[in-house]
Amino acid sequence: MKTISREDLKAKIDRDDDFVLLEVLSEESYARGHLPGAIRFQGSHTIPTLLPDKTTEVVAYCSNFN
């Protein structure tokens, strides 16, 4: 696991890189606003559904950037 900067994440979004963006905040925070394409993490049971290909890159964030 590695950490990337906000700038690196923005660049990945702007380039339309192939990755899953996972938000790990509450439903209320997600509803108030989230990054484009972000999927709200609802618990470990959602991982197999979200990531059927185990080689998929995942970027998780837990802070609202809005």
Side-chain angles (χ1 to χ4, degrees):
M1 184 180 339
K2 72 176 191 172
T3 301
I4 66 171
S5 68
R6 289 180 181 189
E7 293 78 17
D8 289 341
L9 177 55
K10 182 174 181 338
K12 290 178 82 51
I13 293 169
D14 290 346
R15 287 190 307 263
D16 199 26
D17 286 1
D18 187 24
F19 71 100
V20 172
L21 183 56
L22 199 60
E23 179 176 293
V24 292
L25 289 178
S26 69
E27 185 174 355
E28 295 80 24
S29 293
Y30 185 84
R32 279 194 304 266
H34 54 274
L35 293 174
I39 300 168
R40 190 175 76 83
F41 178 73
Q42 299 177 17
S44 61
H45 64 280
T46 62
I47 295 298
T49 304
L50 294 174
L51 305 173
D53 177 357
K54 293 183 185 201
T55 64
T56 302
E57 179 181 10
V58 176
V59 176
Y61 74 97
C62 58
S63 180
N64 198 333
F65 294 112
N66 295 329

